[in-house]
Amino acid sequence: VPGAGYALAALDVFGGIVFNIGNIAGTALGLNALLGLDVKIGGTLSAAVAIAIFLIRRAGVVLDRIVVVLGIVMIVLTLYVAIVSSPPIGEALVQTVAPEEVRFLTITTLIGGTVGGYIVYAGAHRMVDSGLTGAENVKGITRASINGILITAVMRGLLFLAVLGVVAGASELATQVA
């Protein structure tokens, strides 16, 4: 469809802005929780670091390498929490396959958050920027796409189980505290 690429690019930019506002807010809240830093200062610091990364050309190469290491650390720590929190895996599997209630808004939010939140980082433009284009690179592009989807799926599953375990154990904690 003529112009569809421009429309998709505009949606990508809009989604990137929306999701990155959430990322900056999350960083501000994290710095507040870790260091007691005011959220406005934390948000400003986070935005400044992000802008610097995009302005310094070589920072992207270094960041790509650091992100791989931090991604592995994140997956391992989330796996640890998912194991230690002992989520009700059987119930989670049953509700995944045959849920008692289907909530369209919840499904849309999860899928949108998964796809929209990562598209500006893992989208085709990242491959174009790195020079990975053309029919001769289809194998590498396909491999990268599949790896991205699989890693995202694993992380989402582990994160769900970790949160489910913590939430399911919260009532037990509440009775012990009371």
Side-chain angles (χ1 to χ4, degrees), residues 144-172:
S145 300
I146 291 170
N147 284 341
I149 290 166
L150 291 175
I151 291 168
T152 301
V154 167
M155 188 58 205
R156 287 286 172 158
L158 288 176
L159 186 59
F160 170 77
L161 291 174
V163 170
L164 179 63
V166 170
V167 170
S171 62
E172 182 181 318

Side-chain angles (χ1 to χ4, degrees), residues 108-176:
T108 304
T109 302
L110 288 172
I111 293 171
T114 301
V115 176
Y118 295 109
I119 196 165
V120 268
Y121 302 108
H125 63 284
R126 296 280 289 147
M127 292 183 183
V128 170
D129 190 40
S130 71
L132 195 63
T133 61
E136 66 276 5
N137 290 310
V138 168
K139 186 176 180 178
I141 293 167
T142 302
R143 186 183 66 234
S145 300
I146 291 170
N147 284 341
I149 290 166
L150 291 175
I151 291 168
T152 301
V154 167
M155 188 58 205
R156 287 286 172 158
L158 288 176
L159 186 59
F160 170 77
L161 291 174
V163 170
L164 179 63
V166 170
V167 170
S171 62
E172 182 181 318
L173 288 174
T175 57
Q176 290 177 359

Side-chain angles (χ1 to χ4, degrees), residues 46-63 126 129:
S46 173
V49 169
I51 290 167
I53 289 169
F54 285 109
L55 291 178
I56 302 169
R57 185 78 171 137
R58 301 266 314 141
V61 175
V62 173
L63 189 63
R126 296 280 289 147
D129 190 40

